[in-house]
Structure formats: structure tokens, C-alpha cells
Amino acid sequence: MLLRKSIIYNPNNAKFVSNVTKVDYSSEKNIMTHEKPYILMVGSCHPRKNRKIAMKVMAYLGSNSPYVLVLAGEAISMEEQKIIDELEIYEKVISY
């Protein structure tokens, strides 16, 4: 049996967006507020995401770079933690 799936290329045009209730977060602390600019990677630690390469780029940029790598989604794997330790980029990688 063949199943057909739909892909929404631009979800901003979806009809349900107009029904979303807006929430005011002005009184709450936003955990994604950083004093430094950041590079955001969202998703799993699957090799196709190239999170390891992003970590190596952070090391290449050096400690003088204002950028921080924010990994949102799946937690840092043991292998990724080993790379962070080897490259000594503890303060350059944040995981949520």
C-alpha cells in the first residue's frame, strides 16, 4: 500500500498559524538570551547534522570569536563531549 505524505514548504502560510495564541514572555527570563551572538543548530546528533564539524569550526574561530554554538534538541553525545574536551571549547558550546 502506498501512502502519500504532504510537505509544507512554507509553514507561515498555513491556515492554523492565525489561530495561534500569542504569549507574552516579557516578565519571564528567556534562557536563549545571550550577551554574545550565537550559531543555533537544532535537531539530533545524527552524523548528517555535522555537529562535530560545527564544534571544530568553533575551535578554529578561537577564543577571541564572539560566537557561541547553541545545540538545541538531542543532548551532547559522549563522542561529542570528547571532541569538546579535546578542543577545549567548554565555554563555546551550549546544549539545551
Side-chain angles (χ1 to χ4, degrees):
M1 182 164 103
L2 180 64
L3 297 176
R4 184 176 178 164
K5 294 185 178 182
S6 317
I7 298 173
I8 301 173
Y9 292 101
N10 188 356
N12 293 331
N13 291 334
K15 292 179 183 177
F16 64 85
V17 172
S18 63
N19 296 330
V20 174
T21 304
K22 292 183 180 179
V23 179
D24 180 17
Y25 293 104
S26 60
S27 62
E28 297 180 22
K29 183 179 179 185
N30 184 351
I31 61 171
M32 285 301 295
T33 301
H34 295 284
E35 293 177 7
K36 297 181 178 183
Y38 56 90
I39 300 168
L40 175 64
M41 292 190 73
V42 180
S44 67
C45 62
H46 191 275
R48 67 180 160 72
K49 292 295 215 172
N50 291 324
R51 286 168 51 157
K52 295 175 197 170
I53 291 174
M55 291 176 193
K56 290 177 182 178
V57 167
M58 295 308 295
Y60 176 79
L61 292 174
S63 59
N64 292 333
S65 170
Y67 291 96
V68 175
L69 177 62
V70 178
L71 303 173
E74 195 171 335
I76 294 174
S77 69
M78 296 293 279
E79 188 176 351
E80 290 171 338
Q81 185 61 52
K82 184 178 176 184
I83 292 170
I84 291 169
D85 293 342
E86 288 173 0
L87 298 174
E88 297 180 357
I89 53 172
Y90 315 105
E91 296 179 7
K92 299 298 250 175
V93 180
I94 300 170
S95 178
Y96 287 104

